[in-house]
């Protein structure tokens, strides 16, 4: 987690520098700062700083991972990563539902946003509970 903490902290510093340069540059060109871009850059800095601080706090509480050690070998990180569904259609349904909700937001149609929001909730629930539904067959012979 230390690696991630350093990366996010470095990106936060870069966003802060870019935000300061952007504010100075737009003030020089227009006579006043352009606040939309400055706000976006400074909020991006804040978001990256929060992620960096979180990863830093977590890194103190857990043992160093192979990614955090300079003497680690590739084999140290081997093993089972987790279970990934081999043939799930729920991610496609979730993406389509997000597209419908986004289209409703872009066109400012409340009914389409509502349909999209309900579809997003249903698709997320379907993805979450994919392996918890249906009857489980056991070998009862």
């Amino acid at each position: 987690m230390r690696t991630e903490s350093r990366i996010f902290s470095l990106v936060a510093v870069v966003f802060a520098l870019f935000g300061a340069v952007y504010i100075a540059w737009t003030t020089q060109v227009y006579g006043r700062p352009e606040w939309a871009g400055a706000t976006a850059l400074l909020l991006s800095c804040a978001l990256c700083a929060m992620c960096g601080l979180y990863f830093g706090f977590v890194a103190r509480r857990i043992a160093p991972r192979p990614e955090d050690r300079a003497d680690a070998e590739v084999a140290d990180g081997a093993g089972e990563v987790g279970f990934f569904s081999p043939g799930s259609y729920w991610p496609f349904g979730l993406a389509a539902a997000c597209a419908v909700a986004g289209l409703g937001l872009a066109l400012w149609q409340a009914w389409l946003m509502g349909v999209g929001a309900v579809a997003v909730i249903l698709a997320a629930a379907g993805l979450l509970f994919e392996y918890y539904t249906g009857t489980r067959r056991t070998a009862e012979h």
Side-chain angles (χ1 to χ4, degrees):
M1 290 284 178
R2 294 191 194 284
T3 305
E4 291 89 348
S5 176
R6 289 180 185 142
I7 290 171
F8 275 104
S9 298
L10 179 67
V11 173
V13 169
V14 168
F15 274 131
L17 290 174
F18 285 172
V21 169
Y22 185 81
I23 289 171
W25 192 349
T26 56
T27 302
Q28 183 181 4
V29 172
Y30 299 114
R32 60 179 176 80
E34 195 276 317
W35 290 112
T39 303
L41 287 168
L42 295 177
L43 286 177
S44 297
C45 168
L47 180 64
C48 288
M50 286 190 307
C51 292
L53 286 172
Y54 172 76
F55 285 137
F57 287 134
V58 170
R60 290 185 199 163
R61 293 185 180 142
I62 64 173
R65 300 177 305 157
E67 295 88 2
D68 297 328
R69 295 190 346 246
D71 64 338
E73 298 289 330
V74 174
D76 293 340
E80 184 175 332
V81 177
F83 175 74
F84 301 97
S85 181
S88 175
Y89 291 107
W90 284 109
F92 176 75
L94 185 60
C98 288
V100 170
L103 185 65
L105 185 62
L107 298 176
W108 202 248
Q109 297 293 319
W111 67 272
L112 194 55
M113 285 188 284
V115 169
V118 169
V120 165
I121 291 170
L122 291 175
L127 182 64
L128 179 66
F129 296 114
E130 180 175 14
Y131 288 98
Y132 298 103
T133 58
T135 58
R136 295 182 184 245
R137 296 182 182 204
T138 58
E140 296 176 9
H141 294 285

